[in-house]
């Protein structure tokens, strides 16, 4: 497995890189506004950013939202996947350390490569009309979500 450095996303040094990946690499019409990023991490390999990911806590709950999991479009798929796996794993560890092991983690994604990583990590994936929803809750905490 590749060795990654995981560090906190820094708006001053990383924001332009993130938006260039989206606009130039993935052909988005615009980047992500700063205020929509939440807390983020960057996975780098030999000093070069490979993947970025963000999360936010849902106020007053034990739920966190994973969002904007993005790999460097100029890097090989396998390296991006490994970087994203490290980002997601580190964010989940952070969420559980802040909210406890019974915290819930949710999100909405269209990107099948990110969804495959999440599914491999034990997240439940549900199909929406134009997107897929994922979640991970401890067995006893799903009553209010699934109506059991």
């Amino acid at each position: 497995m590749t060795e990654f450095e995981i560090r906190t996303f820094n708006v001053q040094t990383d924001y332009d890189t993130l938006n260039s990946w989206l606009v130039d690499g993935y052909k988005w019409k615009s980047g992500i506004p700063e205020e929509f990023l939440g807390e983020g991490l960057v996975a780098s390999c030999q000093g070069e950013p490979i993947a970025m990911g963000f999360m936010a806590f849902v106020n007053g709950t034990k739920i966190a939202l994973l969002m904007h999991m993005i790999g460097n479009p100029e890097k090989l798929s396998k390296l991006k996947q490994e970087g994203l796996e490290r980002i997601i794993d580190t964010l989940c560890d952070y969420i559980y350390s802040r909210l406890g092991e019974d915290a819930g983690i949710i999100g909405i994604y269209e990107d099948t490569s990110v969804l495959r990583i999440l599914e491999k990590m034990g997240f439940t994936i549900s199909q929406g009309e134009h997107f897929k929803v994922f979640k991970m809750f401890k067995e006893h905490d799903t009553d209010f979500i699934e109506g059991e």
Side-chain angles (χ1 to χ4, degrees), residues 25-129:
Y26 292 110
K27 307 301 182 207
W28 283 28
K29 291 181 182 178
S30 64
I32 300 170
E34 261 182 66
E35 56 271 17
F36 294 139
L37 289 178
E39 297 180 50
L41 295 177
V42 178
S44 298
C45 184
Q46 299 177 352
E48 187 171 3
I50 302 299
M52 298 183 191
F54 300 86
M55 55 86 35
F57 293 106
V58 179
N59 290 339
T61 71
K62 294 186 88 170
I63 298 174
L65 174 68
L66 287 183
M67 54 194 178
H68 312 307
M69 299 297 151
I70 301 157
N72 183 336
E74 297 177 0
K75 297 300 170 193
L76 295 173
S77 183
K78 184 177 187 306
L79 187 62
K80 285 189 287 191
Q81 179 176 335
E82 286 181 32
L84 288 167
E85 286 174 3
R86 288 291 312 278
I87 292 281
I88 294 167
D89 192 48
T90 304
L91 286 172
C92 288
D93 286 347
Y94 176 65
I95 290 164
Y96 292 134
S97 74
R98 288 272 310 269
L99 299 179
E101 289 295 318
D102 59 342
I105 302 172
I106 61 172
I108 299 172
Y109 273 87
E110 292 181 23
D111 185 333
T112 56
S113 61
V114 171
L115 289 166
R116 278 193 298 267
I117 293 168
L118 292 164
E119 194 167 40
K120 184 172 117 180
M121 295 177 79
F123 284 83
T124 301
I125 311 296
S126 303
Q127 179 68 50
E129 187 174 338

